Amino acid sequence: MNGAGVGAVGEGAGDAGEEGLTLRERKKWRTRQRISGEATRLFIERGFDRVTVAEIARAAEVSTMTVFNYFPRKEDLFLDRIPEARELLVRAVRERGTDETPLGALRRLGRDLVAARHPLAGVGEDFAHFWRTVAESPALRARGRAAVEEIEGLLAVELARAGGAGGPESRLAAALIVAGWRAVYAEVVGRQLDGDPVDAVAVEYAETLERTFDALERALPVLR
C-alpha cells in the first residue's frame, strides 16, 4: 500500500482464477480479466490519461457500459486489486489463529505476499512499468491515496472488532500500521523505478517489513 497506488501488474483482481465458479461466474470473470488486461496494456503503452474508456471497450470487444459495470471508475481499471487488498486485510484479522494477534496476522500476511511475489506486494519483474504509469498520472495517484484512506478506515473497524483496541485507539492503531507499511512500500517502488535488481529489493523488503512490525508491536502493545 502506498500513496502512489494499490493495484496489480497484469490482469484481474484476485488469483483464485476460475476454480469453484459457476459457468455464469466464469464468463463474468473472463470478461473482467479481458477488460482489465486490455486497459493495462493500453495504459502502459500510452499513459493513463491518454487512453479513453471507449478505446478500452473497443479493444476488449465490449460496450462502454459493460466496462463501467465491472469498473465504476476509470482508475479502477488499472488499480484493479484494491478490492482484493481490502479482502486480504479483513480476512487476515478475522481468520487469524486462536493464539495469533491482529498484528501477528498482518505481519504474516505481509510475509506471504512478499514471498509469493504477489502483485499486491508491489515487487516483481516488469513492475516498474506499472509504477511509472501511476507516477505519471495525477488521477491514479489520487485514487491510490483514496484507497489507502479506505483501507485505513476498514482496518480500524476490524481492529475494534478484534477487541485489541476500540474507538480512537483503533483508529490510531490502523493509521500507524498503514503508515508503516506504506513507508516500506514506497521505498520498494522507488528502488524498482531506479532500476535496482528485483531479487535484492525483495530480500530487503522482507527484512524491512519485519523491522517495521517489530516497531509497531512496541508502539502498539494493546495489539500484541
Side-chain angles (χ1 to χ4, degrees):
M1 298 166 238
N2 80 343
V6 180
V9 176
E11 301 179 358
D15 292 315
E18 301 180 46
E19 184 179 350
L21 300 181
T22 65
L23 177 60
R24 182 172 182 273
E25 289 170 338
R26 285 199 299 272
K27 288 181 177 179
K28 292 180 67 175
W29 185 83
R30 290 170 185 170
T31 299
R32 189 183 196 281
Q33 291 284 87
R34 186 169 69 254
I35 294 169
S36 175
E38 291 297 336
T40 298
R41 178 182 64 80
L42 290 169
F43 291 150
I44 289 177
E45 287 178 357
R46 294 167 47 194
F48 178 82
D49 299 317
R50 289 188 287 275
V51 177
T52 67
V53 173
E55 289 173 313
I56 294 166
R58 285 196 296 272
E61 299 182 334
V62 297
S63 69
T64 300
M65 182 177 295
T66 297
V67 173
F68 282 118
N69 285 340
Y70 284 92
F71 302 94
R73 287 170 286 205
K74 179 185 172 185
E75 291 81 6
D76 293 338
L77 283 156
F78 200 60
L79 303 178
D80 63 335
R81 287 190 184 253
I82 291 172
E84 185 183 5
R86 292 195 294 255
E87 180 184 347
L88 287 175
L89 286 169
V90 169
R91 190 188 306 160
V93 176
R94 287 186 183 177
E95 300 179 7
R96 68 191 187 281
T98 54
D99 297 326
E100 192 173 33
T101 65
L103 263 180
L106 292 171
R107 184 198 289 260
R108 176 172 50 81
L109 172 62
R111 285 174 180 164
D112 291 346
L113 291 175
V114 176
R117 297 288 179 90
H118 190 287
L120 282 171
V123 59
E125 299 295 338
D126 297 325
F127 278 30
H129 297 300
F130 173 85
W131 290 117
R132 193 167 290 111
T133 302
V134 173
E136 292 172 352
S137 170
L140 286 176
R141 295 199 304 274
R143 177 64 185 124
R145 288 191 294 271
V148 170
E149 291 176 1
E150 293 165 9
I151 287 170
E152 184 179 308
L154 185 63
L155 184 56
V157 171
E158 291 305 316
L159 293 177
R161 286 177 177 169
E169 289 83 5
S170 65
R171 292 193 292 273
L172 174 60
L176 289 173
I177 293 168
V178 171
W181 210 329
R182 179 178 178 177
V184 179
Y185 207 87
E187 176 66 18
V188 166
V189 171
R191 288 191 58 187
Q192 288 178 100
L193 289 174
D194 289 340
D196 290 357
V198 171
D199 288 341
V201 173
V203 169
E204 188 169 330
Y205 184 5
E207 294 172 349
T208 305
L209 196 61
E210 291 293 336
R211 292 195 298 271
T212 299
F213 273 96
D214 288 343
L216 287 169
E217 287 190 345
R218 292 192 295 271
L220 301 168
V222 69
L223 294 180
R224 288 202 299 237

